[in-house]
């Protein structure tokens, strides 16, 4: 149920410029939860992780590779040899 609330919160940004501005920047999880609560919605940390997983399953292989590239570069410079 609260994953639906997260989807609803993200959908509200299209009609609410203030919300769109707030969501344009990365938010700490606690702030996102508080933002949802201020609009009568309930989301949890688990909902955010489920939403991320849902988006990753929709992404193409090329998109996933682009998302992982910065992490790969960091590891390449960290691992000797």
């Amino acid at each position: 149920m609260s994953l639906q609330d997260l989807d609803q919160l993200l959908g509200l940004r299209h009609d609410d410029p203030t919300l769109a501005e707030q969501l344009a920047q990365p938010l700490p999880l606690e702030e996102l939860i508080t933002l949802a609560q201020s609009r009568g919605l309930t989301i949890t940390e688990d909902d955010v992780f489920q939403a991320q997983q849902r988006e990753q399953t929709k992404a193409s292989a090329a998109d996933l590779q682009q998302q992982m590239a910065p992490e790969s570069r960091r590891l390449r410079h960290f691992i000797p040899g």
Side-chain angles (χ1 to χ4, degrees):
M1 173 79 170
S2 54
L3 184 56
Q4 292 172 344
D5 283 355
L6 178 57
D7 291 337
Q8 185 177 353
L9 178 68
L10 296 175
L12 289 173
R13 67 183 167 187
H14 301 295
D15 299 324
D16 184 344
T18 304
L19 179 61
E21 187 177 318
Q22 291 172 311
L23 293 176
Q25 304 295 326
L27 289 175
L29 183 60
E30 298 80 21
E31 286 183 37
L32 181 63
I33 291 170
T34 302
L35 192 61
Q37 287 174 342
S38 72
R39 287 170 169 74
L41 303 169
T42 304
I43 62 172
T44 64
E45 180 179 6
D46 189 50
D47 298 324
V48 174
F49 290 133
Q50 286 181 21
Q52 287 173 331
Q53 287 177 332
R54 180 178 63 189
E55 290 304 310
Q56 287 178 345
T57 60
K58 292 179 185 177
S60 69
D63 289 340
L64 291 173
Q65 286 176 341
Q66 270 190 319
Q67 291 173 8
M68 296 307 296
E71 185 69 21
S72 298
R73 283 187 211 100
R74 250 192 317 235
L75 287 173
R76 250 182 284 146
H77 294 292
F78 177 75
I79 299 172

